[in-house]
Amino acid sequence: MGRRFLPEGESLLVEQKLDGAEKLNKEEIQSLYTYKPNRKILFIPWSPYVGIYQRGVKRYDSAKYERKIEEIRSKFSKKIAKKDSEKKQKRLQAKMNKKVNKQIRNIKEGNFGMRMGEPLAIFDSAKERATVDKIQDYMETKGYFNSEVTYTTENTFKMVSTVYTIERNQPYIIDSLFYNIPDTAIYHRVIESSAVSFLKTDENYEQANLVQERDRLNDLMLNNGYYNFSRQFISFVVDSSSLGDRKVIIGLTIRNPNNQPKHKVYTIDSVIFTTDADITGLASNRQSESFEGITYQFYSKRYSEKILDRRIFLKPGELYRRSNTLETQKQLSNMDIFKFINVNYDTTGGQFVSNVFTSPLKKFQTSSELGLNVSKGLPGPFFNASIKNRNTFRGLEVMELSGRVGFEGISGATNTGNPYSSLDYGANLAFTFPQFMIPLSSDFRSKIGHLNPKTRLSFGLNYTNRTEYLRTTINTSYILSWQNYEKRRNYSLNIADINFIDSDVTDEYQQFLDELEAQGNNLNNSFLPSFVSSSWLSVTHNINDYGNRKEKSSFFRYQIELGGNLYSAIAKKTIDRDLEYFKYAKVDLDFRHSAPVNSLVTLAYRAHLGVAIPYGENETLPYEEFFFAGGSNSIRAWEPRRLGPGSFLPVDSLGVYSNDFEQPGEILLETSVELRHKIFGFLHGALFVDMGNTWTMRVDPVRPGSQFQFDNFLKEIAIGAGYGLRLDFSFLLLRLDAAWKIHDPGNQTRYDNNVRRGSFDLPDYSNYNRLVWNLGIGYPF
């Protein structure tokens, strides 16, 4: 607990509680504590951070760090003096500053051990009283002017527990509002917008609502022509004594500028767009052209004014609105054409001129990336390279040619070979247009400019080389995308996703597919030369920047897909080749939520549901459209893509469990819960439980127990649990999870070949390792 480090006569603060804080924000109150108990690992009564800090204190020597600074400066000064190149001198200077700053940090913040650990939380009655005062002030901001806050302590064996007791009493209510606004135009705007005001009569008084109301009124003015308006013009008077009986009167004042009878309303006189603001010093003057009332200036004309106009929301003759200024900057930035965008206003000469300054990104840009990718298995190394050509056809479009080679990091469709025998490589050519490339009126194109409309046309060639087969895919897609930033929604509509697929299957795997087909399984059709076409709509909601550790956040994505549509019908009539065609409908729902419990612990959970219904002659899906379960981003207690379907348990001819083959399914249900917590520094941990499975839509004679049935599927939910460590380097998160099977819907005993479905007992397995290790990059969800 850290008591052995206590000075004589001192006690250790081990716990702080709140009493009477019902219906109040406990996290806000707890943040007011002047000091806090030492952190523990989960709920174990042990504070390792104290020991780390104390070891750091023993090694702390400020004089040593001062001497080290002098040594570094002396050493690098000599090196810098010997260099003739200014570039090399600057490099050495930067290196020296980095080393010096490290020692300065040791002096100011303590050495590494002191920064990683924490000092003893020694009980201090003065700090307790300071906390009481802070909570009292907080209660008054919530309208509880008559509240009382006290604290009591209990000291047992030099360990102190503190309880803060809050007697709220009755809150004060807003009785009435009055306005002191001499500018009648502003007065009317305030009254007209009162329905959305944060100040309401007959509601509890809260100081935070005054701050929000000031911000709201400031935005209201700035978005209605009042360019020079600021929060300083707004003030409030709160009177809690005139009426008595726990009622307050709030007075709102919006004063005029000094020596002015009213606030000035600004209307944009002209808009000047400079497309190459980074170019200066040329003897010649910029050329200028006008389009829809906007003047474009440039040394060399590069861009289509017609398309630029749809991303500019500043128009001559319109009122100044700050929201339009911000939206213009945002939408111009979304085009991936400009590296610098600035909008300012010139009020000299009695004119109100909007100036838009931009400077272009490089026309040609190359990039390469070496890394690890994790989908449903082990981390797989990959290498990407691309070249980008901006403004390819002078319509602000972007062309990108990219290539990729990488190992998928999964063990293939069978267990033959090593986990990195699955090689994926290919190339893709894509064109991104900053508009919808479909017939639309010019007015409508302008109206939807704030939605960041884009069209992406791509052509790709991809090879997947596994031990069992070589799969070649030629792909083209035509995708419209747009956004709704205020509600954090992103939309993608793939009008045409067309694939020609050819598979070269090994004799051994073909024999396996033939055996399945002879028993009534249609998986073989997925590996025939195929034409796969589909259209889909994908919608993504991202609420509060999902994954942040400060507040609750959510992520929700749903995708609806139809395969075998009009394009398949056309292909059958125009392509003179024996191809397999697929018809299917698919829905994929993915919901994730993250909620910080406190500064150290976060609760995160995920629910994933997918249904793919094949229909038509072959009654099967393209292999890429199947669902799979198991792996580091799925049910972690099962090997990648080996769980299910249903209660089916694959066994060999001797009746022994065998996970040699992937297990595709047409229905997927997954859910996971993680309790993530910080251990110290960059080391984090997580307790987790995963549940889920896949199923087939129809009876599969080869895999008994695989069909989804409402009266039985709950028993077929696989359950795994475990613990994981994460190394969080901010730019990279490495994850190692150990997962244990809690419930296997396909249990098989060691002594007989009977498959017991839905049993919760823990049988003895033969050649079956119940503990599964998963190595991953990033969080599993």
Side-chain angles (χ1 to χ4, degrees):
M1 287 294 297
R3 285 182 296 172
R4 63 192 179 96
F5 298 110
L6 280 171
E8 185 67 27
E10 300 289 356
S11 297
L12 185 68
L13 178 68
V14 296
E15 188 177 24
Q16 291 172 304
K17 295 181 179 179
L18 278 173
D19 185 20
E22 294 80 9
K23 297 183 180 180
L24 295 173
N25 190 322
K26 291 184 179 181
E27 291 183 5
E28 287 185 358
I29 298 175
Q30 290 166 350
S31 69
L32 301 174
Y33 292 165
T34 306
Y35 69 134
K36 299 177 183 179
N38 295 121
R39 290 176 292 165
K40 304 175 182 63
I41 295 181
L42 289 181
F43 307 107
I44 302 173
W46 173 52
S47 301
Y49 309 100
V50 173
I52 295 172
Y53 180 84
Q54 293 297 328
R55 283 190 288 272
V57 169
K58 289 180 179 180
R59 296 194 301 270
Y60 182 79
D61 186 348
S62 60
K64 174 184 174 182
Y65 301 138
E66 293 283 2
R67 290 194 299 270
K68 188 68 175 177
I69 290 174
E70 293 302 321
E71 291 173 4
I72 293 171
R73 286 174 174 166
S74 174
K75 176 183 175 181
F76 276 89
S77 295
K78 292 177 182 179
K79 288 184 177 181
I80 292 172
K82 293 179 181 180
K83 299 296 181 182
D84 297 329
S85 169
E86 182 179 354
K87 184 177 180 180
K88 292 181 179 179
Q89 288 179 348
K90 288 183 178 180
R91 188 182 300 122
L92 286 172
Q93 183 72 39
K95 191 174 182 180
M96 180 187 74
N97 291 339
K98 184 177 180 181
K99 290 180 175 292
V100 168
N101 290 336
K102 181 179 179 180
Q103 300 304 320
I104 292 175
R105 186 182 183 189
N106 286 336
I107 294 172
K108 292 182 176 181
E109 302 177 20
N111 55 33
F112 181 75
M114 296 170 69
R115 296 195 300 269
M116 293 290 289
E118 58 186 17
L120 279 172
I122 299 174
F123 174 74
D124 186 337
S125 59
K127 290 182 178 179
E128 298 291 329
R129 290 191 295 271
T131 298
V132 167
D133 292 340
K134 287 185 176 182
I135 297 176
Q136 185 73 60
D137 293 340
Y138 171 83
M139 295 300 295
E140 291 184 5
T141 67
K142 295 297 181 180
Y144 295 95
F145 296 114
N146 294 329
S147 64
E148 296 181 11
V149 182
T150 58
Y151 81 95
T152 57
T153 61
E154 181 179 338
N155 193 330
T156 306
F157 303 114
K158 295 186 177 182
M159 294 186 295
V160 178
S161 296
T162 300
V163 178
Y164 299 103
T165 302
I166 301 174
E167 293 290 342
R168 287 181 292 180
N169 298 316
Q170 293 298 317
Y172 276 60
I173 307 297
I174 299 175
D175 178 79
S176 55
L177 303 168
F178 69 86
Y179 302 93
N180 178 23
I181 307 175
D183 189 324
T184 56
I186 290 182
Y187 173 79
H188 289 302
R189 287 201 178 275
V190 171
I191 297 302
E192 289 170 359
S193 69
S194 60
V196 293
S197 172
F198 290 95
L199 303 177
K200 303 286 188 182
T201 57
D202 299 324
E203 291 188 0
N204 288 11
Y205 166 82
E206 286 197 36
Q207 186 173 307
N209 288 339
L210 299 184
V211 177
Q212 290 181 296
E213 181 66 3
R214 176 182 281 113
D215 291 340
R216 185 190 74 83
L217 293 174
N218 183 64
D219 290 341
L220 179 67
M221 297 303 110
L222 291 175
N223 287 322
N224 281 278
Y226 295 96
Y227 172 70
N228 286 326
F229 196 88
S230 69
R231 291 175 178 83
Q232 284 70 30
F233 291 111
I234 305 172
S235 61
F236 296 96
V237 175
V238 180
D239 183 356
S240 60
S241 60
S242 296
L243 297 178
D245 195 25
R246 299 185 305 278
K247 293 183 178 180
V248 298
I249 302 172
I250 297 178
L252 166 63
T253 297
I254 301 180
R255 64 178 180 84
N256 287 338
N258 292 335
N259 303 319
Q260 297 293 325
K262 62 180 180 178
H263 289 264
K264 183 176 180 180
V265 177
Y266 287 82
T267 301
I268 298 175
D269 292 299
S270 60
V271 179
I272 302 175
F273 191 123
T274 303
T275 63
D276 47 13
D278 57 330
I279 300 177
T280 59
L282 296 184
S284 59
N285 294 324
R286 283 187 171 90
Q287 305 174 51
S288 64
E289 288 186 5
S290 294
F291 182 84
E292 297 294 335
I294 299 176
T295 300
Y296 294 87
Q297 294 184 343
F298 45 80
Y299 283 112
S300 175
K301 184 174 180 179
R302 302 182 184 183
Y303 312 115
S304 166
E305 290 91 351
K306 182 178 181 180
I307 298 176
L308 273 177
D309 182 71
R310 296 167 187 159
R311 300 291 179 114
I312 301 174
F313 306 96
L314 310 171
K315 304 296 181 181
E318 294 185 355
L319 285 179
Y320 161 79
R321 302 184 192 276
R322 186 177 65 168
S323 59
N324 287 344
T325 303
L326 298 176
E327 188 68 13
T328 297
Q329 290 177 303
K330 181 171 65 177
Q331 294 304 332
L332 289 175
S333 177
N334 285 336
M335 299 173 77
D336 191 26
I337 295 293
F338 305 107
K339 65 180 177 182
F340 170 83
I341 302 161
N342 183 38
V343 180
N344 62 41
Y345 294 88
D346 185 358
T347 61
T348 60
Q351 294 286 306
F352 189 62
V353 180
S354 174
N355 291 294
V356 182
F357 297 102
T358 65
S359 58
L361 288 162
K362 292 181 180 179
K363 180 174 178 58
F364 292 97
Q365 177 181 329
T366 59
S367 64
S368 60
E369 181 183 16
L370 179 64
L372 294 173
N373 182 51
V374 180
S375 55
K376 290 287 186 181
L378 298 171
F382 68 85
F383 176 75
N384 291 339
S386 66
I387 180 170
K388 186 180 289 187
N389 179 6
R390 294 185 173 90
N391 200 35
T392 309
F393 309 118
R394 292 182 175 270
L396 295 106
E397 54 281 303
V398 177
M399 181 186 75
E400 184 172 10
L401 177 64
S402 60
R404 170 189 169 88
V405 58
F407 292 96
E408 290 187 76
I410 59 177
S411 53
T414 71
N415 277 346
T416 306
N418 63 69
Y420 294 112
S421 61
S422 300
L423 179 64
D424 182 75
Y425 55 99
N428 192 75
L429 176 64
F431 298 89
T432 302
F433 304 88
Q435 57 181 318
F436 288 157
M437 301 298 287
I438 54 177
L440 294 171
S441 68
S442 180
D443 288 344
F444 186 74
R445 291 182 186 275
S446 297
K447 289 178 181 179
I448 63 174
H450 68 281
L451 299 179
N452 189 26
K454 290 183 179 180
T455 300
R456 180 178 173 86
L457 177 62
S458 66
F459 308 90
L461 176 63
N462 191 76
Y463 298 90
T464 301
N465 191 352
R466 293 195 185 184
T467 305
E468 305 82 13
Y469 57 81
L470 171 63
R471 196 166 174 89
T472 304
T473 304
I474 301 175
N475 168 268
T476 182
S477 62
Y478 193 77
I479 302 175
L480 306 182
S481 65
W482 64 100
Q483 299 171 328
N484 183 325
Y485 272 97
E486 291 183 359
K487 297 185 179 180
R488 300 286 183 179
R489 287 200 298 263
N490 295 275
Y491 303 83
S492 293
L493 174 61
N494 194 331
I495 296 177
D497 190 353
I498 299 173
N499 300 268
F500 289 93
I501 303 174
D502 192 22
S503 301
D504 186 5
V505 182
T506 63
D507 293 339
E508 180 184 4
Y509 194 58
Q510 185 60 57
Q511 182 181 355
F512 167 73
L513 294 173
D514 291 340
E515 291 174 357
L516 292 180
E517 187 173 33
Q519 299 176 62
N521 186 296
N522 295 326
L523 185 61
N524 183 51
N525 293 332
S526 297
F527 291 90
L528 297 175
S530 307
F531 178 91
V532 180
S533 67
S534 67
S535 297
W536 49 257
L537 172 66
S538 177
V539 183
T540 301
H541 302 251
N542 193 334
I543 303 171
N544 288 340
D545 187 21
Y546 173 73
N548 79 83
R549 296 173 184 169
K550 294 183 179 180
E551 58 184 343
K552 293 181 181 179
S553 58
S554 301
F555 173 90
F556 181 41
R557 179 187 62 83
Y558 53 91
Q559 180 169 312
I560 302 171
E561 182 175 359
L562 291 176
N565 47 26
L566 175 65
Y567 307 105
S568 292
I570 296 173
K572 285 183 179 181
K573 296 181 180 180
T574 57
I575 299 176
D576 185 18
R577 186 177 177 184
D578 187 16
L579 294 174
E580 193 74 13
Y581 295 88
F582 298 87
K583 292 184 178 181
Y584 61 92
K586 187 175 183 181
V587 177
D588 195 348
L589 310 175
D590 188 358
F591 176 76
R592 308 175 186 189
H593 185 75
S594 174
V597 177
N598 53 45
S599 60
L600 299 177
V601 180
T602 299
L603 177 66
Y605 55 86
R606 175 194 186 190
H608 187 194
L609 171 66
V611 179
I613 304 175
Y615 59 96
E617 297 178 1
N618 52 30
E619 294 187 342
T620 191
L621 298 169
Y623 198 69
E624 290 77 9
E625 298 296 335
F626 279 107
F627 293 109
F628 297 90
S632 65
N633 287 15
S634 182
I635 313 299
R636 282 163 280 187
W638 274 259
E639 291 78 4
R641 303 160 78 98
R642 295 311 197 264
L643 172 59
S647 58
F648 170 69
L649 182 71
V651 294
D652 59 20
S653 59
L654 300 177
V656 178
Y657 169 79
S658 171
N659 67 342
D660 287 343
F661 296 97
E662 292 181 342
Q663 300 298 333
E666 296 158 343
I667 299 175
L668 171 72
L669 178 61
E670 289 180 325
T671 183
S672 297
V673 179
E674 281 199 347
L675 192 65
R676 300 168 182 169
H677 60 94
K678 184 176 182 179
I679 300 177
F680 62 83
F682 55 79
L683 182 61
H684 297 245
L687 286 168
F688 61 84
V689 177
D690 300 325
M691 296 177 286
N693 207 337
T694 62
W695 292 266
T696 60
M697 296 293 299
R698 303 175 179 85
V699 174
D700 187 342
V702 180
R703 298 184 293 176
S706 63
Q707 184 185 21
F708 181 87
Q709 296 177 339
F710 277 103
D711 59 349
N712 199 50
F713 85 96
L714 288 178
K715 298 178 182 179
E716 297 176 342
I717 297 293
I719 304 175
Y723 186 80
L725 294 176
R726 289 95 163 90
L727 300 179
D728 189 351
F729 301 109
S730 68
F731 63 91
L732 173 68
L733 187 139
L734 299 176
R735 171 167 53 93
L736 177 64
D737 293 328
W740 185 267
K741 293 177 176 64
I742 302 299
H743 170 56
D744 186 348
N747 281 338
Q748 179 195 23
T749 67
R750 182 175 186 172
Y751 305 106
D752 60 65
N753 296 333
N754 295 325
V755 178
R756 300 201 308 273
R757 300 171 188 163
S759 174
F760 275 83
D761 57 350
L762 301 177
D764 185 10
Y765 281 72
S766 172
N767 299 323
Y768 188 45
N769 186 4
R770 293 181 63 83
L771 185 65
V772 177
W773 294 90
N774 292 273
L775 183 64
I777 306 295
Y779 286 109
F781 56 89

